[in-house]
């Protein structure tokens, strides 16, 4: 595989206390024995990658899930010990752990700090009790506040809060209440996602493909997100993500800018060289492969030059800064004009893209119909 100096590390923790009604992620409740077995399998996978990754330094680490904070302290300690032993981290590495209220304790937060974690992502979704119940969340807003305050007391100065719009029975007013309650806390980062009903979830069984919130209300929530967060000093740097200046999530930016990353754990995805590959999604198969000393890779795709150029466009356009014509030419040895000139001109003509300073980016209207724009480059 092609070696580069910097990469990101993603570690998937598939366990949760209870699966939310909208969630289609690879996650599930598990007992103590399953969590311990999985932790050891993760460490074995790290050891299998150790020599292969010796030429890279990792400047972002992200423990996602599921609910990483649902792990017991000894399991978390074991995982971070494995990361430090098997991979070379930069001194300024951004190290994030996703946490859910109701699974966080002062002791766990102290452990995270001692392990070098310097960024937390707290899943709130809503501050309204009825909406949290509808979503199937395990916590109240008061429990979220307690978790947030404990994180601050533990010394965390870089916290993200997730919120969700277009929730069943949600009104524009109740959503605004959540946004204002969150901004009053002054987290460094806010992720605001509109609910998508996914097949295989309880929400899909209940609502099918019919949005639970009418289009006019959904649109109003979208507009108010931009207005309220901008007024509170948050800059929109990606379609669904807002941050204080300099507090953008470096790990997620790596995904959108096609930086390399290694994914560890059940179903985790990786991008190294020109290859995208993903791990086994079956729990028993993942354990068996790691026990045999094998990499638990299930699927691999070698990206063609055309696919790499397409990814550069539709991933990069998710960021408000857009994509650089110079960087495109440096990366691929051909001009953006030669590859996508017609598509760009068509989107500019329709008011969906704009150009400035050698960069192509979405307009406000283009953000509204971003999937339509991305389709132009696939």
């Amino acid at each position: 595989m092609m070696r580069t100096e910097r990469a990101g590390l993603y570690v998937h923790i598939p366990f949760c206390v209870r699966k939310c009604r909208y969630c289609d992620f690879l996650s599930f409740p598990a007992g103590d024995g399953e969590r311990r077995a999985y932790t050891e399998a993760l460490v074995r996978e790290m050891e299998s990658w150790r020599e292969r990754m010796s030429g890279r330094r990792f400047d972002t680490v992200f423990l996602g899930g599921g609910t990483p904070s649902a792990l017991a302290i000894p399991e978390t300690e074991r995982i971070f010990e494995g990361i430090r032993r098997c991979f070379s981290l930069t001194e300024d590495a951004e190290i994030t752990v996703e946490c859910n209220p109701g699974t966080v304790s002062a002791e766990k937060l102290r452990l995270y700090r001692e392990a070098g974690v310097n960024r937390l992502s707290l899943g709130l979704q809503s501050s309204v009790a009825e909406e949290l119940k509808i979503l199937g969340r395990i916590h109240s807003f008061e429990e979220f506040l307690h978790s947030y305050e404990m994180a601050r007391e533990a010394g965390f100065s870089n916290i993200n809060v997730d919120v969700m719009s277009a929730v069943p029975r949600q009104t524009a007013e109740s959503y605004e209440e959540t946004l204002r309650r969150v901004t009053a806390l002054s987290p460094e980062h806010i992720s605001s996602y509109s609910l998508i009903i996914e097949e295989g979830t309880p929400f899909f069984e209940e609502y099918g493909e019919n949005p639970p919130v009418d289009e006019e209300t959904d649109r109003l929530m979208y507009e108010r997100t931009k207005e309220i967060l901008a007024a509170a000093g948050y800059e929109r740097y990606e379609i669904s993500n807002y941050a204080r200046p300099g507090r953008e999530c470096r790990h997620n930016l790596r995904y959108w800018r096609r930086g390399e990353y290694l994914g560890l754990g059940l179903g985790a995805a990786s991008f190294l060289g020109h290859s995208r590959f993903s791990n086994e999604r079956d729990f028993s198969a993942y354990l068996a492969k790691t026990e045999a000393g094998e990499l638990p890779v299930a699927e691999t795709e070698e990206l063609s030059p055309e696919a790499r150029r397409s990814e550069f466009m539709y991933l990069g356009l998710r960021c408000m800064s857009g994509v650089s014509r110079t960087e495109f030419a440096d990366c691929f040895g051909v001009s953006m004009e030669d590859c996508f000139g017609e598509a760009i001109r068509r989107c500019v003509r329709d008011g969906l893209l704009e150009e400035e300073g050698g960069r192509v980016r979405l307009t406000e209207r283009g953000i509204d119909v971003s999937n339509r724009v991305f389709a132009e480059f696939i």
Side-chain angles (χ1 to χ4, degrees):
M1 294 179 178
M2 183 182 70
R3 293 184 179 272
T4 56
E5 183 180 353
R6 297 293 177 98
L9 184 68
Y10 175 79
V11 182
H12 187 63
I13 308 299
F15 309 122
C16 53
V17 175
R18 182 181 69 204
K19 199 170 179 72
C20 296
R21 300 182 68 237
Y22 58 88
C23 179
D24 73 330
F25 295 155
L26 183 52
S27 61
F28 46 86
D32 293 342
E34 288 174 300
R35 290 197 295 267
R36 285 194 295 268
Y38 183 74
T39 298
E40 293 308 309
L42 265 179
V43 173
R44 289 194 296 269
E45 186 184 2
M46 293 176 195
E47 291 168 348
S48 294
W49 279 108
R50 185 175 183 176
E51 290 301 317
R52 293 176 172 90
M53 294 289 105
S54 61
R56 289 180 173 85
R57 301 191 71 203
F58 292 83
D59 57 9
T60 66
V61 178
F62 197 105
L63 268 66
T67 306
S69 54
L71 288 177
I73 286 176
E75 295 154 0
T76 305
E77 288 177 328
R78 182 86 169 109
I79 288 169
F80 276 108
E81 183 278 329
I83 290 172
R84 294 284 182 182
R85 177 167 49 83
C86 295
F87 305 107
S88 175
L89 307 187
T90 62
E91 291 184 4
D92 66 341
E94 174 194 85
I95 305 177
T96 303
V97 174
E98 286 187 336
C99 303
N100 270 346
T103 64
V104 178
S105 67
E107 189 177 5
K108 284 182 181 178
L109 291 167
R110 284 196 297 270
L111 164 63
Y112 295 158
R113 291 282 292 166
E114 292 168 2
V117 177
N118 50 30
R119 185 176 184 273
L120 295 181
S121 183
L122 291 175
L124 168 61
Q125 313 313 342
S126 173
S127 68
V128 180
E130 181 187 11
E131 293 170 11
L132 289 171
K133 183 178 180 180
I134 289 170
L135 290 168
R137 304 293 289 175
I138 66 169
H139 61 86
S140 66
F141 180 60
E142 289 70 28
E143 287 173 312
F144 162 80
L145 286 176
H146 181 55
S147 297
Y148 185 90
E149 289 163 0
M150 283 196 299
R152 289 301 197 199
E153 290 170 1
F156 285 96
S157 59
N158 194 2
I159 299 177
N160 168 66
V161 176
D162 287 340
V163 297
M164 184 176 287
S165 63
V167 173
R169 301 185 202 172
Q170 189 179 53
T171 65
E173 291 75 20
S174 70
Y175 176 62
E176 286 187 30
E177 180 182 359
T178 292
L179 286 179
R180 295 192 186 282
R181 285 177 168 179
V182 170
T183 55
L185 297 171
S186 295
E188 286 67 37
H189 190 287
I190 297 174
S191 297
S192 174
Y193 300 100
S194 179
L195 173 66
I196 299 175
I197 305 294
E198 301 285 3
E199 288 191 43
T201 64
F203 269 11
F204 187 82
E205 294 177 9
E206 185 171 352
Y207 299 102
E209 298 180 357
N210 301 313
V213 172
D214 65 84
E215 185 176 348
E216 182 178 349
T217 301
D218 191 9
R219 178 70 189 183
L220 180 57
M221 292 176 182
Y222 171 79
E223 293 295 337
R224 295 301 288 149
T225 302
K226 295 187 296 181
E227 294 167 4
I228 291 172
L229 296 189
Y234 294 90
E235 295 181 0
R236 188 184 198 181
Y237 71 98
E238 191 271 341
I239 289 176
S240 300
N241 287 276
Y242 300 75
R244 301 282 190 200
R247 295 293 192 158
E248 300 83 359
C249 178
R250 287 161 47 193
H251 188 81
N252 285 344
L253 282 171
R254 168 168 272 110
Y255 294 150
W256 301 317
R257 292 172 176 171
R258 295 186 76 251
E260 292 192 315
Y261 55 91
L262 174 66
L264 304 175
L266 194 67
S270 302
F271 176 50
L272 297 172
H274 298 319
S275 298
R276 291 196 181 276
F277 52 94
S278 58
N279 281 352
E280 294 282 356
R281 296 177 62 85
D282 179 80
F283 191 76
S284 297
Y286 175 78
L287 294 184
K289 282 193 173 181
T290 59
E291 286 173 358
E294 301 175 19
L295 292 177
V297 174
E299 297 180 359
T300 301
E301 178 187 8
E302 292 293 329
L303 298 178
S304 67
E306 293 79 13
R308 299 198 296 270
R309 293 193 288 264
S310 289
E311 283 193 350
F312 184 99
M313 297 301 295
Y314 68 76
L315 291 176
L317 284 171
R318 290 191 62 89
C319 297
M320 300 301 97
S321 59
V323 292
S324 164
R325 287 183 176 273
T326 299
E327 290 175 8
F328 185 96
D330 290 344
C331 185
F332 301 111
V334 293
S335 71
M336 192 183 294
E337 178 65 28
D338 289 342
C339 298
F340 299 112
E342 184 177 344
I344 292 171
R345 285 191 293 274
R346 184 162 53 246
C347 290
V348 169
R349 182 194 64 213
D350 293 343
L352 307 178
L353 289 177
E354 61 186 6
E355 294 194 60
E356 183 180 0
R359 302 189 72 87
V360 180
R361 60 173 177 256
L362 293 170
T363 62
E364 283 294 321
R365 184 181 171 204
I367 296 170
D368 294 349
V369 292
S370 56
N371 286 339
R372 172 186 161 188
V373 180
F374 300 157
E376 292 279 353
F377 301 97
I378 296 175

